[in-house]
């Protein structure tokens, strides 16, 4: 019976996402809950499980497609419907087992001889390596080395994966689990690799990975009451993207400050105009405009780096991501073509997009295509902070709270409004001197707006 498997509700507020990986192919036998595709929205990356078991008849999506909740992923042939599924599976298993056994018998004699020889060679090699001492530590080390040695040996003997003793079912399982057969020690007759070997290999691998990736938690209830709450999709996505940015981008931080007393007068004068247009004029709109001008003066800050091809991609448009704090977490909507918009237009757009973000109405499209980011925490407070670069961008401007401070001007102290600025940039592309110049240009443009607005 042909059944459609559809995209379920991926997570709260996510209606569409991009397919980044297709994990099955036509003709594959799939289990219920087996992962079919990986989809990524701006909020999360998730594996979509199958709602049915059977054989994949037709795949309806491919990598790069944008899919919506309810779209058909694939058609699955349920082989006589769900009722028969158990029976059919049982039959399949038996058939598979039988042919495996026959196959095993045929191959095992031949393989046993080979494996005995391999084992002997292994033993020779081991003896040579370990000398006469047989401490436990060395035994362990030897075991760890074995798959590597096996690989080397296969290579030396010019053998392919097909010549490693394993049944088709085991090979399929290894493929599904992404296990390289040459790295598995077979425990069956003649060194034959069994299903159990693949399973224990993946468990070991997963445990190793988990041990590396996870920091263990103590039992907090020992010290007092606790409560568990699931993380929102946005929280999880932010966690992933900030971790990978922090781990892969060598961040440098530069600090500066700007006297924005003059700009404040400008904002006061134009506040009414912004209000009439439906927005609120704050330092964010001014910073977006000035940043777009700075990006034109310093093109590297508007670029992305492609380390694999050892290239930088210089963008000729000026789109700026704005960090918006929402109840569910941080969102990064994009203001496009900033160079073509007036400050009042930008003020309106920022007000609208921040409101949209906070009411959960932002589409994934509205968070794509930014070249540079601004994170203004000044409405909240703080003297300085070091924001994490929003990959694939190469820099982000952090803005803290402006404060009245005494500034020594022409022989006397005057109260001026000073805005703290920080810049985080990618040292793979930008050097310290460039970072300092870029931030200094922004600070000067804030103090002398004509420089940025007239492009002088
Ligand atoms: N210094 C002093 N005052 C500031 C300021 C600054 N740097 N920035 C804004 N303000 C003032 C505004 O003028 C406004 O004053 P009034 O209430 O008197 O009118 C008040 O703070 C609140 O501003 P706002 O938040 O309404 O508007 P905004 O344009 O300044 O900011 C937005 C918009 C979306 C950037 C902001 O609301 C926001 O979400 N910021 C948080 C960003 C964030 O979480 N960053 C951390 C991410 S990790 O890198």
């Amino acid at each position: 019976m042909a059944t459609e498997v559809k995209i379920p509700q991926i997570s709260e507020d996510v209606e569409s996402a991009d397919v980044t990986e297709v994990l099955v192919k036509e003709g594959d036998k799939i289990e219920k809950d087996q992962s079919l595709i990986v989809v990524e929205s701006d909020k999360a990356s998730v594996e979509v499980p199958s709602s049915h078991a059977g054989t994949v008849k037709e795949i309806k999506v491919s990598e790069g497609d944008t899919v919506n909740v309810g779209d058909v992923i694939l058609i699955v042939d349920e082989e006589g419907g769900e009722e028969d599924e158990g029976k059919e599976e049982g039959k399949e298993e038996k058939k598979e087992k039988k042919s495996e056994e026959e196959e095993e018998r045929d191959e095992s004699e031949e393989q046993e001889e080979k494996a005995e020889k391999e084992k002997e060679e292994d033993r020779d090699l081991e003896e040579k390596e370990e000398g006469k001492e047989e401490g436990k530590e060395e035994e362990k080390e030897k075991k760890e080395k074995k798959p590597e040695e096996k690989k080397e040996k296969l290579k030396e003997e010019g053998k392919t994966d097909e010549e490693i003793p394993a049944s088709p079912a085991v090979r399929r399982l290894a493929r599904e689990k992404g296990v390289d057969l040459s790295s598995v020690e077979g425990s069956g007759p003649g060194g034959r690799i069994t299903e159990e070997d693949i399973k224990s290999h993946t468990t070991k691998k997963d445990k190793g990975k988990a041990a590396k990736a996870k920091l263990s938690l103590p039992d907090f209830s020992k010290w007092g009451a606790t409560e568990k709450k699931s993380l929102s999709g946005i929280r999880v996505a932010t966690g992933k993207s900030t971790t990978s940015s922090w781990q892969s981008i060598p961040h440098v931080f530069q600090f500066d400050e700007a006297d924005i007393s003059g700009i404040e007068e400008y904002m006061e004068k134009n506040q009414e105009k912004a209000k009439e247009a439906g927005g609120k004029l704050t330092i964010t709109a001014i910073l977006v405009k000035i940043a777009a001008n700075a990006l034109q003066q310093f093109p590297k800050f508007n670029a992305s780096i492609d380390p694999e091809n050892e290239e930088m991609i210089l963008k000729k448009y000026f789109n700026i991501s704005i960090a918006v704090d929402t109840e569910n977490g941080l969102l990064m909507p994009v203001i496009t073509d900033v160079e073509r918009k007036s400050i009042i237009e930008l003020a309106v757009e920022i007000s609208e997009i921040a409101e949209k973000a906070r009411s959960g109405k932002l589409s994934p499209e509205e968070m794509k295509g930014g070249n540079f980011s601004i994170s203004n925490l000044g409405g909240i407070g703080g003297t300085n902070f070091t924001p994490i670069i929003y990959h694939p961008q190469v820099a982000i401007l952090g803005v803290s709270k402006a404060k009245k401070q005494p500034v020594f001007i022409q022989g006397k102290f005057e109260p001026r409004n000073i805005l703290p600025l920080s810049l985080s940039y990618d040292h793979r592309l930008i050097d310290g001197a460039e970072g300092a110049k870029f931030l200094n240009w922004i600070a000067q443009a804030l103090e002398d707006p004509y420089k940025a607005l007239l492009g002088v």
Side-chain angles (χ1 to χ4, degrees):
M1 189 178 72
T3 307
E4 291 180 337
V5 178
K6 295 179 179 172
I7 303 272
Q9 186 71 46
I10 297 158
S11 68
E12 220 186 313
D13 300 337
V14 176
E15 287 301 320
S16 70
D18 295 339
V19 179
T20 54
E21 224 178 322
V22 178
L23 305 169
V24 292
K25 54 184 187 321
E26 285 170 11
D28 277 2
K29 282 204 180 315
I30 54 167
E31 305 287 340
K32 186 167 182 285
D33 294 330
Q34 180 177 332
S35 298
L36 301 176
I37 55 172
V38 183
V39 294
E40 200 171 288
S41 73
D42 280 62
K43 296 179 183 172
S45 168
V46 287
E47 289 186 8
V48 178
S50 179
S51 51
H52 294 77
T55 306
V56 178
K57 217 173 149 198
E58 193 185 346
I59 297 182
K60 300 275 198 188
V61 295
S62 29
E63 274 179 33
D65 285 358
T66 299
V67 288
N68 297 306
V69 174
D71 282 359
V72 178
I73 306 171
L74 50 80
I75 312 282
V76 70
D77 201 324
E78 288 199 88
E79 296 166 344
E82 274 178 10
E83 271 176 42
D84 293 342
E85 215 175 84
K87 277 190 214 162
E88 282 299 321
E89 264 176 25
K91 266 192 219 162
E92 253 319 294
E93 253 174 45
K94 271 189 194 163
K95 233 168 92 186
E96 214 165 67
K97 234 181 181 174
K98 213 174 159 199
S99 65
E100 254 177 56
E101 277 165 13
E102 279 164 12
E103 211 183 297
E104 263 175 28
R105 269 199 300 276
D106 290 346
E107 284 179 26
S108 64
E109 284 170 18
E110 190 187 312
Q111 298 295 350
E112 246 167 57
E113 232 176 82
K114 244 190 231 172
E116 250 328 293
K117 223 172 147 195
E118 275 178 19
K119 271 190 183 166
E120 244 170 59
E121 282 168 18
D122 273 358
R123 275 198 292 274
D124 284 353
L125 201 74
E126 281 162 18
E127 271 165 27
K128 257 186 224 162
E129 267 188 9
E130 77 184 343
K132 280 175 189 162
E133 281 171 68
E134 281 183 0
K136 270 189 184 169
E137 268 309 304
E138 286 179 16
E139 274 294 324
K140 200 176 136 209
E141 215 172 273
K142 237 188 324 166
K143 266 191 190 158
E144 280 164 7
K145 268 188 193 166
K146 268 193 173 174
E148 282 310 309
E149 285 169 6
K150 191 174 169 188
K151 257 187 185 175
E152 278 300 306
K153 217 167 194 192
L154 282 167
K155 221 168 140 189
E156 273 169 28
E157 290 168 10
K159 281 184 188 165
T160 63
D161 261 14
E162 277 62 46
E163 289 168 273
I164 299 171
S167 71
V170 169
R171 287 179 192 283
R172 195 168 60 227
L173 183 68
R175 265 197 308 277
E176 277 169 17
K177 301 224 177 252
V179 171
D180 175 4
L181 282 179
S182 66
S183 66
V184 182
E185 272 294 292
S187 66
R192 193 172 181 79
I193 297 171
T194 65
E195 268 189 31
E196 273 316 304
D197 293 334
I198 302 289
K199 283 178 190 158
S200 72
H201 184 84
T202 41
T203 317
K204 268 189 229 156
K205 225 170 80 180
D206 290 348
K207 274 191 187 158
K209 260 196 215 162
K212 267 186 212 158
K214 276 187 203 159
L215 297 172
S216 63
L217 293 175
D219 174 11
F220 297 108
S221 65
K222 280 198 290 192
W223 300 292
T226 61
E227 184 191 353
K228 282 187 182 172
K229 276 189 176 174
S230 305
L231 299 178
S232 71
I234 299 179
R235 189 73 273 140
V236 173
T238 304
K240 278 189 192 163
S241 72
T242 49
T243 304
S244 73
S245 280
W246 184 247
Q247 287 174 343
S248 55
I249 302 176
H251 283 64
V252 183
F253 307 109
Q254 174 73 28
F255 304 96
D256 213 326
E257 53 186 27
D259 180 345
I260 57 162
S261 310
I263 284 272
E264 282 216 317
E265 276 175 35
Y266 167 86
M267 288 198 295
E268 267 167 40
K269 269 191 219 154
N270 289 280
Q271 197 57 263
E272 203 49 42
K273 227 192 222 173
K275 213 169 157 191
E276 276 165 23
K280 178 176 165 189
L281 183 54
T282 68
I283 196 72
T284 310
I286 311 275
L287 282 164
V288 167
K289 189 71 188 173
I290 288 179
N293 277 271
L295 296 175
Q296 285 170 284
Q297 307 290 325
F298 298 83
K300 265 196 198 175
F301 287 79
N302 201 43
S304 282
I305 185 163
D306 177 357
E308 247 167 57
N309 294 312
E310 299 183 343
E311 282 176 349
M312 66 168 140
I313 302 149
L314 292 151
K315 289 156 243 171
K316 310 288 179 183
Y317 51 89
F318 301 90
N319 294 352
I320 294 187
S321 307
I322 309 279
V324 179
D325 176 40
T326 78
E327 256 179 33
N328 287 326
L330 177 69
L331 289 176
M332 302 290 287
V334 177
I335 311 286
T336 56
D337 304 317
V338 174
E339 78 284 9
R340 289 196 237 137
K341 293 173 182 164
S342 71
I343 296 233
I344 300 294
E345 282 171 327
L346 291 171
V348 173
E349 201 173 326
I350 292 165
S351 307
E352 284 172 358
I353 211 148
E355 175 48 36
K356 237 177 157 180
R358 290 186 175 126
S359 56
K361 291 187 184 140
L362 218 52
S363 71
E365 271 318 299
E366 287 172 298
M367 286 186 274
K368 285 181 187 161
N371 302 347
F372 176 84
S373 290
I374 295 180
S375 176
N376 180 9
L377 281 175
I380 301 166
T383 52
N384 250 316
F385 70 110
T386 53
I388 294 180
I389 297 164
Y390 189 46
H391 183 265
Q393 301 173 8
V394 292
I396 177 168
L397 180 70
V399 185
S400 294
K401 192 173 181 65
K403 262 194 240 149
K404 278 262 172 340
Q405 283 179 31
V407 177
F408 203 61
I409 302 170
Q410 291 175 350
K412 58 179 170 96
F413 280 106
E414 276 186 33
R416 308 291 294 180
N417 214 15
I418 305 297
L419 182 73
L421 300 168
S422 53
L423 178 76
S424 311
Y425 59 89
D426 187 336
H427 206 345
R428 291 174 303 170
L429 192 62
I430 299 158
D431 291 330
E434 294 167 297
K437 279 183 204 161
F438 179 79
L439 192 57
N440 193 251
W441 194 95
I442 288 181
Q444 282 187 15
L446 280 162
E447 290 179 5
D448 179 4
Y450 294 111
K451 180 169 182 170
L453 303 181
L454 302 177
V456 288

